[in-house]
Structures are given as C-alpha cells and as structure tokens.
C-alpha cells in the first residue's frame, strides 16, 4: 500500500512539474509533462530523448504509444524547424511509423534527419525521417511531413525552449497559486490516479473518446498529434479479436484537433491468419450534431507468436 502511495505521489509531483515547465511559453503541456529533452538540434538533424517513469507507461510496463508518438513527432519536426524561426508553427501533415516489435522500454532516443522541403508548393512543406531506439534496440523508424503555417489570430507563438537534461529545474509550485486551467490539469490527474488501470491511459483518454483540453493540447491549443495517434492505435487494437502486435501505421492529419470531444471509430479492413489491417477515423465534436474529421489512420498488425 505504501509503495503504491509513493508511486501516486511521484506521478502527482510530475504533473505539477509539467505545469511549472509549461509556464515558460513555447512548447506544450504534454511535452513538458513527459520532459522531452532536446539533446541536440541542428539544421541537419535532431536528437531528442525521453526518460520513462510510472507517469507514461501502459499496463504492460512499456512507454505508452501516445508518449512514444509525441517523441517521434517532435523529433521529426525539430530538424525542420531548425531551418526556420524557432517560434514557427509546424502542422503535422502525415506521419508513418514502422515498428520492429521491440518493446519501448528504457530511455528512448529519437534521431531525426532533415530531408528537405517539397518543391514548388504554395507553402513550405518540410520532410524528415526519424529512428527511435530504447533499451531493447530500435523500436520504430519512420517519416513525416509538416506544413509551415501562421498561428491562429488569437495565439502568439514563442520560440521552442529546447530544454535538455542540463537545464535548471523549475521552481516548485504552490497548489493554491494554480490558474484555473492548471487546476483542471491537476484535477484530471487526481481522477486518473483514483481510477483503475494505467495512469497515462486514464489521464489522456482511452481508445474510444477523449476530452479536449490543455492536458493534451499542442502549441496552438489543438489536440497534440502524437496523443491522437496513440488513441487511434488503441482503437484499432480493440477492433481486432485475439492478440496482435502493431507493426506499422500511417497517419494523415486532415483538420485541427478542435472541439470538446474527440472520438475514434475503427473498421477492420483485413483479418488474415498472420496479418491484419485496420482503418481508424478520429473526429472532433463540438456539440451533439457537429462533427468534423480530424485524422485518418491505417494500421497494420502481425499475429503474436
């Protein structure tokens, strides 16, 4: 019992630390909560890392796919943003990840490499590739494309801080001094800690739906793309009978992750003896009847040995 309480206290301190880091503008709460370290960012490539803990692992003890996808997404974008101003907004257009079957355990490192800009486009469409490795070796590799856009009229973007492991610790927060949005994050964390199952799943949301908010928001307040990828993969897995391993995914971002609620719907495209394919759509809902498609994902799966 005491060990469990210590684990809960550690997660709660982590959430408060993420809120403190988020007071420096430029990144977003999910990245600050995970404490993504920008170990090296140059025009040629980037190297980012994530030190896992009980706040970001699933029921299997491995880093949750949403957290892994955030690391990959930031690794892909960092070397593109290095060609532009550090405050530039980069909207994810597509991301493909091929998994190796190795578990996402231990310290994860994402090595990104800039691949240039798409030629003769109306706006700058950056291209990059990434490889994510962990304690068991290479976890996945993939590619991504990002469109440089102006921020929404009501949003002022600041340079990404590029924090790393050597950066100073934020000043501890007094809970009485939290702003309303910050109290909402902490309240969600407390509810997630009180629920059964992995904290990160309860905190961010399950495979069917999630509530939008600062706790899953990106730099302009829309749902962060890596979290949506994790949601899509969970929805796809729930649509498959039996035990399967995610082998690959292609995510196509169609519109911003706005709205009160985001919901996932998966359709089984192919169910063979050794491989399967699932198509997942994530849509945003602002009311009972207002629906807008946000993300299309196709996942491939391999039957477990």
């Amino acid at each position: 019992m005491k060990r469990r309480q210590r684990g809960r206290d550690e997660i709660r301190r982590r959430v408060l630390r993420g809120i403190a880091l988020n007071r420096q503008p430029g990144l977003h709460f999910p990245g600050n909560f995970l404490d993504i370290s920008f170990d090296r960012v140059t025009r040629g490539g980037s190297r980012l890392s994530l030190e896992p803990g009980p706040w970001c692992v699933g029921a299997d003890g491995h880093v949750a796919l949403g957290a892994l996808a955030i690391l990959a997404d930031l690794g892909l974008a960092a070397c593109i943003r290095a060609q532009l101003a550090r405050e530039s907004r980069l909207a994810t257009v597509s991301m493909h990840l091929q998994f190796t079957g190795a578990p996402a355990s231990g310290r994860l490192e994402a090595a990104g490499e800039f691949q240039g800009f798409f030629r003769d486009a109306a706006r700058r469409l950056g291209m990059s590739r990434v490889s994510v490795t962990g304690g068991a070796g290479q976890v996945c590799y993939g590619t991504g494309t990002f469109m440089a856009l102006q921020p929404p009229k009501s949003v002022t973007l600041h340079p990404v801080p590029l924090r790393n492991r050597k950066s100073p610790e934020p000043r501890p927060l007094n809970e009485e001094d939290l702003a309303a949005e910050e109290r909402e994050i902490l309240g969600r964390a407390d509810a997630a800690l009180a629920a059964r199952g992995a904290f990160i799943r309860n905190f961010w949301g399950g495979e069917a739906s999630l509530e939008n908010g600062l706790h899953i928001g990106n730099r302009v307040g829309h749902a962060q793309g890596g979290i949506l990828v994790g949601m899509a993969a969970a929805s796809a897995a729930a649509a498959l009978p039996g035990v399967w391993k995610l082998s690959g995914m292609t995510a196509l971002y169609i519109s911003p992750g706005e709205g009160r609620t985001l919901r996932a719907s998966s359709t089984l495209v192919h169910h063979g003896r050794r491989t399967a394919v699932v198509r997942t759509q994530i849509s945003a809902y602002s009311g009972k009847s207002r629906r807008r498609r946000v993300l299309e994902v196709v996942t491939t799966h391999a039957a477990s040995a």
Side-chain angles (χ1 to χ4, degrees):
M1 183 65 70
K2 290 183 178 180
R3 183 177 180 182
R4 177 180 294 182
Q5 186 59 47
R6 285 196 299 269
R8 291 178 176 177
D9 291 343
E10 182 182 9
I11 292 174
R12 204 171 188 275
R13 287 194 298 269
R14 184 71 176 207
V15 173
L16 285 167
R17 182 178 182 274
I19 293 173
L21 287 173
N22 205 53
R23 289 186 171 185
Q24 178 183 2
L27 191 54
H28 43 61
F29 176 76
N32 286 316
F33 166 65
L34 295 174
D35 197 19
I36 301 294
S37 177
F38 291 79
D39 301 323
R40 180 175 61 85
V41 178
T42 68
R43 291 174 64 87
S46 61
R47 187 172 295 274
L48 282 62
S49 61
L50 182 157
E51 293 282 1
W55 50 84
C56 67
V57 297
D60 58 2
H62 303 145
V63 175
L65 183 58
L68 170 64
I70 290 175
L71 177 64
D73 179 71
L74 292 177
L76 286 163
C79 55
I80 297 176
R81 187 174 286 110
Q83 320 299 317
L84 310 167
R86 269 178 52 194
E87 67 272 15
S88 298
R89 177 191 179 190
L90 289 178
T92 313
V93 176
S94 65
M95 181 165 63
H96 171 75
L97 294 177
Q98 178 63 51
F99 296 90
T100 66
S105 58
R107 174 190 171 103
L108 299 183
E109 294 187 352
E113 184 178 337
F114 179 61
Q115 297 295 294
F117 289 101
F118 187 81
R119 297 185 181 183
D120 300 326
R123 288 186 178 270
R124 305 194 82 177
L125 180 65
M127 303 174 291
S128 57
R129 59 186 179 185
V130 71
S131 174
V132 180
T133 58
Q138 187 181 52
V139 178
C140 65
Y141 59 92
T143 59
T145 59
F146 297 78
M147 182 70 75
L149 298 175
Q150 293 296 319
K153 292 182 179 180
S154 60
V155 176
T156 299
L157 288 181
H158 299 267
V160 176
L162 301 183
R163 279 183 53 86
N164 57 45
R165 305 283 172 231
K166 297 180 181 179
S167 298
E169 280 293 300
R171 181 178 299 179
L173 295 179
N174 186 333
E175 291 185 30
E176 296 178 355
D177 297 330
L178 296 181
E181 282 188 323
E182 295 171 338
R183 287 197 299 271
E184 184 176 345
I185 291 176
L186 188 59
R188 288 181 181 276
D190 287 337
L193 287 168
R196 299 183 63 179
F199 167 80
I200 195 65
R201 182 186 184 279
N202 296 329
F203 185 49
W204 280 346
E207 66 274 3
S209 66
L210 56 82
E211 292 185 23
N212 220 339
L214 187 62
H215 67 299
I216 63 166
N218 63 13
R219 297 175 69 228
V220 296
H222 305 152
Q224 210 283 332
I227 293 177
L228 295 183
V229 162
M231 178 187 184
S235 176
L240 277 170
V243 182
W244 295 79
K245 295 187 70 174
L246 178 66
S247 59
M249 64 165 29
T250 296
L252 305 174
Y253 294 81
I254 298 169
S255 64
E258 300 173 297
R260 296 178 183 176
T261 307
L262 293 143
R263 298 175 187 168
S265 175
S266 294
T267 303
L268 191 58
V269 177
H270 167 70
H271 184 199
R273 295 179 59 190
R274 298 289 181 263
T275 64
V277 179
V278 181
R279 177 190 177 194
T280 300
Q281 290 185 341
I282 292 182
S283 299
Y285 292 81
S286 298
K288 292 183 178 180
S289 59
R290 187 177 176 187
R291 173 180 177 271
R292 180 169 42 77
R293 189 170 49 171
V294 172
L295 182 65
E296 284 268 0
V297 180
V298 175
T299 51
T300 58
H301 307 256
S304 295

